[in-house]
Amino acid sequence: MLVTRQPVLRRFWYPVMPLSRLAAGPQPFTLLGEKIVLWQRADGRPAAVRDRCCHRSAALSKGFVEGDHIVCGYHGWTYDGSGACVRIPQQAATAANPPGACVPAYRCEGKYGYAWVALDEPLAPILDIPEDGAPGYRRLAQFDERWACGALRLMENSFDAAHFAFVHRGTFGQFGKNKPEFFELRETPYGFEAETRLVIDNPPRAHRITGTTEPTTRRHFRNQWHLPFLRRLGLHYPNGLQHLIVTSATPVDDGHIQLMQWVYRNDTEADCPAEEIHRWDHEVVMEDKAILESTDPDAPVTLARRAEENMASDRPGLLMRQRLLALLQAHGETEIHRGSAAQPQEITPCS
Amino acid sequence: MLVTKQPVLRRFWYAILPMQMLDDGPQPFTLLGEKIVLWKKADGSPAALRDRCCHRTAMLSKGFVDGDHIVCGYHGWTYDCRGSCVRIPQQAADAAIPPGAKVPAYHCVEKYGYAWVALEDPLRPIPDFPEEASGRHRRILQFYQRWQTSPVRMMENSFDNAHFSYVHKANFGLFDQPQPAGYRFEETDYGFEAETLVPIRNPPESHRITGTTEPVTHRHLVNRYYLPFARRFGCRYPASGIDHVIYNCATPIDDGSMMLAQWLYRSDSEADCPTQALIDWDEAITKEDREILEATDPDACIDTRRRTEFHMASDKPGLIIRRQLMALLQAHGETEVHG
């Protein structure tokens, strides 16, 4: 599936960058192949419009912020959060702006420390995370990285119990225990829940992560997949410790994702310092990155194409494909892939 | 407009490279998407051919110069400046060269310290730089830089009084005076002339450039646009009488990049303002323009009926450039080709 060719994917919220980055001025991002610019308004709320001035096509991300507005660095044409050109400084204050002078604007919200963007009318709200702000929980921003891989590849990897023994044999995976315990899947409107209990290796550098010094421990996974490209991993340990990971494989283009990940823990910095948590999770995530960047980002979602072989433990990934295909079909689309792709269509609406 | 798709653009002269670059042997260049090679003949004049041997397609720019000729580095096939193969070293000296053994040749001359090329019969001569022979001006070859933008973007920027307050606000631009000065326009056979008087900031570091110490001074500009991609920035600082005249050729390499050739003529002496100080001064300004121009879409719309861009009053020079380019295309049976 070529994500930039499936318009329905524009109708979801994606986190694109930490809000803190906007303090340094306007920032460019590419979402589903569309070049956008984000900035922070006077009240701190983020805004997003197309990253091209409607005058001489300069990237607005080269400009600067003035109050609630973004100012083009070329001639100072100034836009509000709805994309309307509100000032042309070369004109007299009383002169009218050219009718229709605007750039396309996108829905943009700040939530969980990130700026979220939906290019078109969203089909579902940003996921609710009850632990965010709940007593006893802390939120830690973890990763904001560009990966050369497809979003579906990271999603299916997250629910694939069969890769631990191979990809993660250097961290928690039990090499030699090649027969995975299956996830129990429950479909939901947003995607599915997946639950399983696994024995995992617990090397000394993971002791404060798991809260135990036993050489192995049990991890109870209570995971969620949210259409199209967001996962929530609920890792519960027998001692009551929770390690909740939220990851978005934000689709940049047909070959790249921005991996956005943050984590909730119900312990304290004294119990396990954030840096140690990041080091551990990064080690695990880098094991995934190494193998995922070697896969074809154009992952098939139409099983009838028989483009890949499957095994029993691939069920979560197959369910994702079914749900994605159903989503496409519900919106009058079929899967576009390298073999079927026609000429790229340009999507530049101006509201 | 995709410059490589508009054949009439092949009928103009473009500055390709400073002559001294040819002292190092044959040099490759891409002009309007066409790969060419330049070299210097025994008398010092330049020549240009397609950069592909007609034998096994090797680039002639990988070869070497022998007298007036260029020699392919693969098998030594040797060409004169008209592109004819004049020697095949593997053959006996009296054996005939295969009929038709040649590569396409281009018009090529030296002027103002540069080698200029026209891929096909030129419609107009190389623009006249009267300062070259005035006896009062020194010539400085300021810049030879590859930019990831298109010549139309560079040309319109050159005549755009409205960007100073933003792009050059850290330099001479007056941020609190965004309303631009107007121009006096005169359309000519080569393009147009535009005259204006512009107030500028004159911080101490620019005093040697402007020749005056007043905090805000003026530039009297007599600028010229030469179809398709050359321009004169004819600046005189009235307070000192110093000429600071810049010529540019925005040589089209392909549909996403251009080579900026820039000459400066100054009417003062090296003792008044050293060459390096003049290069450093204009380099800072040029860098500011480059950064914003490389952030634009190089496929600039010249047929304004397409309505892909909005305009304001101060865009008049850029709109005249578009109109003259459109008239040029139409006069040669072309329409704008774009992405």
Side-chain angles (χ1 to χ4, degrees):
Chain A
M1 178 173 67
L2 299 175
V3 292
T4 66
R5 309 288 186 85
Q6 311 282 186
V8 70
L9 297 179
R10 298 166 57 89
R11 300 189 61 184
F12 290 89
W13 288 102
Y14 303 97
V16 299
M17 64 182 69
L19 282 167
S20 58
R21 195 180 314 153
L22 297 178
Q27 300 293 330
F29 192 82
T30 302
L31 181 61
L32 290 165
E34 192 136 325
K35 290 185 175 185
I36 66 176
V37 57
L38 286 87
W39 77 96
Q40 200 156 33
R41 287 181 278 212
D43 65 1
R45 288 179 306 136
V49 300
R50 190 186 63 180
D51 197 11
R52 274 222 181 288
C53 182
C54 71
H55 173 230
R56 285 297 175 271
S57 82
L60 295 173
S61 52
K62 295 278 182 186
F64 54 93
V65 176
E66 209 168 63
D68 280 348
H69 303 146
I70 188 165
V71 183
C72 179
Y74 197 174
H75 300 89
W77 286 35
T78 302
Y79 300 88
D80 67 15
S82 76
C85 178
V86 294
R87 182 170 180 244
I88 294 178
Q90 292 79 11
Q91 297 191 164
T94 54
N97 289 345
C102 71
V103 293
Y106 312 104
R107 288 150 201 82
C108 186
E109 279 187 29
K111 203 161 188 183
Y112 311 131
Y114 292 86
W116 297 67
V117 171
L119 295 176
D120 290 328
E121 185 67 34
L123 293 169
I126 297 172
L127 90 158
D128 182 48
I129 304 177
E131 291 81 2
D132 194 89
Y137 286 90
R138 52 182 171 142
R139 181 183 74 208
L140 305 170
Q142 281 197 308
F143 313 125
D144 173 17
E145 298 178 0
R146 183 68 47 100
W147 285 17
C149 102
L152 179 55
R153 293 296 183 198
L154 178 66
M155 287 298 111
E156 66 173 340
N157 166 271
S158 308
F159 297 86
D160 165 14
H163 80 288
F164 299 153
F166 293 90
V167 174
H168 300 300
R169 64 182 180 274
T171 50
F172 66 88
Q174 296 200 307
F175 187 68
K177 192 178 178 314
N178 301 342
K179 298 230 165 45
E181 295 173 51
F182 290 100
F183 276 107
E184 185 187 324
L185 299 178
R186 283 183 298 277
E187 284 200 64
T188 64
Y190 63 75
F192 61 67
E193 291 175 358
E195 188 168 359
T196 191
R197 289 176 169 79
L198 274 187
V199 174
I200 61 162
D201 275 355
N202 189 35
R205 66 188 190 283
H207 286 177
R208 290 210 284 187
I209 311 291
T210 57
T212 173
T213 56
E214 296 173 283
T216 64
T217 186
R218 289 187 71 79
R219 186 188 272 177
H220 179 188
F221 291 84
R222 294 167 64 186
N223 297 349
Q224 297 173 355
W225 171 62
H226 293 255
L227 272 162
F229 304 128
L230 190 135
R231 72 176 185 188
R232 176 196 149 110
L233 305 182
L235 313 184
H236 300 254
Y237 294 101
N239 53 15
L241 187 61
Q242 294 178 19
H243 186 94
L244 311 174
I245 294 171
V246 180
T247 310
S248 172
T250 299
V252 172
D253 57 29
D254 290 319
H256 298 85
I257 61 168
Q258 192 74 16
L259 179 93
M260 316 288 306
Q261 181 166 315
W262 61 103
V263 65
Y264 298 90
R265 297 266 303 188
N266 60 346
D267 61 353
T268 66
E269 181 73 14
D271 296 327
C272 187
E275 203 189 313
E276 199 169 316
I277 296 169
H278 298 336
R279 202 181 315 129
W280 173 256
D281 279 339
H282 204 247
E283 201 178 332
V284 175
V285 155
M286 284 299 109
E287 290 173 330
D288 286 320
K289 182 184 182 187
I291 199 75
L292 291 179
E293 288 198 330
S294 77
T295 64
D296 182 353
D298 183 11
V301 300
T302 312
L303 297 177
R305 285 171 52 206
R306 299 195 166 277
E308 292 176 327
E309 299 297 326
N310 302 300
M311 59 179 169
S313 59
D314 292 327
R315 221 185 120 229
L318 296 179
L319 188 52
M320 284 178 191
R321 286 161 169 72
Q322 280 171 25
R323 292 290 297 266
L324 283 166
L325 192 60
L327 173 73
L328 298 185
Q329 286 167 346
H331 292 84
E333 299 178 35
T334 54
E335 182 193 5
I336 309 288
H337 55 90
R338 269 201 314 276
S340 71
Q343 289 304 304
Q345 59 197 79
E346 203 167 320
I347 306 168
T348 50
C350 188
S351 56
Chain B
M1 177 174 68
L2 299 175
V3 291
T4 66
K5 307 281 178 68
Q6 310 281 186
V8 71
L9 297 178
R10 298 167 60 88
R11 302 191 59 185
F12 289 89
W13 288 103
Y14 301 101
I16 304 299
L17 39 77
M19 281 301 294
Q20 75 255 29
M21 280 178 69
L22 297 179
D23 292 341
D24 301 331
Q27 298 293 328
F29 193 87
T30 302
L31 180 60
L32 290 164
E34 191 137 325
K35 291 184 175 185
I36 66 176
V37 58
L38 285 84
W39 79 97
K40 201 187 265 196
K41 291 182 280 190
D43 66 357
S45 63
L49 301 180
R50 191 184 65 176
D51 195 11
R52 276 224 180 287
C53 182
C54 69
H55 173 228
R56 286 296 176 273
T57 75
M59 292 168 68
L60 296 173
S61 55
K62 296 277 182 191
F64 53 93
V65 175
D66 185 13
D68 278 348
H69 303 146
I70 188 165
V71 183
C72 179
Y74 195 178
H75 301 89
W77 287 35
T78 301
Y79 300 88
D80 67 15
C81 66
R82 291 186 308 275
S84 297
C85 180
V86 294
R87 183 170 179 246
I88 295 177
Q90 293 77 11
Q91 295 189 167
D94 57 351
I97 306 284
K102 61 193 309 187
V103 296
Y106 311 106
H107 303 273
C108 185
V109 297
E110 173 184 3
K111 202 158 190 186
Y112 315 130
Y114 266 72
W116 297 67
V117 168
L119 294 175
E120 289 172 24
D121 290 345
L123 293 169
R124 297 202 53 82
I126 293 172
D128 180 41
F129 300 177
E131 294 78 7
E132 175 78 12
S134 73
R136 311 195 288 119
H137 296 87
R138 52 185 168 132
R139 180 182 72 197
I140 295 168
L141 297 186
Q142 272 188 314
F143 307 121
Y144 180 68
Q145 297 175 352
R146 187 183 174 122
W147 288 14
Q148 298 303 318
T149 186
S150 59
V152 170
R153 292 291 183 208
M154 195 274 157
M155 284 295 113
E156 68 172 342
N157 171 268
S158 306
F159 294 93
D160 168 16
N161 275 346
H163 78 286
F164 303 151
S165 297
Y166 289 89
V167 175
H168 303 301
K169 61 181 181 289
N171 201 304
F172 64 87
L174 291 160
F175 186 66
D176 52 355
Q177 287 188 31
Q179 294 189 19
Y183 274 112
R184 174 195 63 80
F185 273 99
E186 187 192 334
E187 294 200 46
T188 63
D189 55 348
Y190 58 77
F192 62 74
E193 183 173 279
E195 183 176 9
T196 184
L197 194 68
V198 184
I200 59 160
R201 288 200 319 126
N202 187 33
E205 54 272 25
S206 62
H207 288 175
R208 280 199 300 188
I209 309 292
T210 58
T212 171
T213 57
E214 53 188 26
V216 171
T217 191
H218 284 81
R219 284 176 174 169
H220 179 201
L221 301 176
V222 180
N223 297 342
R224 292 184 190 127
Y225 165 67
Y226 306 92
L227 273 163
F229 305 134
R231 70 118 179 187
R232 173 189 203 248
F233 169 80
C235 170
R236 174 169 291 177
Y237 293 104
S240 62
I242 292 176
D243 286 348
H244 187 99
V245 177
I246 288 171
Y247 291 92
N248 287 113
C249 185
T251 299
I253 294 173
D254 55 30
D255 291 318
S257 58
M258 50 158 266
M259 189 66 81
L260 179 81
Q262 181 160 321
W263 298 256
L264 169 66
Y265 292 93
R266 285 278 293 196
S267 60
D268 60 351
S269 70
E270 184 73 15
D272 296 327
C273 192
T275 295
Q276 195 57 49
L278 289 161
I279 289 174
D280 293 347
W281 172 255
D282 279 325
E283 172 126 59
I285 297 166
T286 300
K287 204 171 150 222
E288 289 168 342
D289 285 321
R290 177 182 184 164
E291 184 162 329
I292 199 75
L293 292 180
E294 291 194 335
T296 65
D297 183 352
D299 184 8
C301 168
I302 65 158
D303 185 344
T304 53
R305 291 170 302 185
R306 291 203 284 128
R307 296 189 171 277
T308 63
E309 293 175 326
F310 284 82
H311 312 291
M312 58 181 165
S314 60
D315 293 326
K316 188 178 166 196
L319 293 176
I320 296 176
I321 290 171
R322 285 165 171 71
R323 176 161 53 70
Q324 292 190 343
L325 285 169
M326 278 301 291
L328 174 71
L329 298 186
Q330 282 163 356
H332 291 83
E334 299 178 33
T335 55
E336 183 191 13
V337 180
H338 57 88

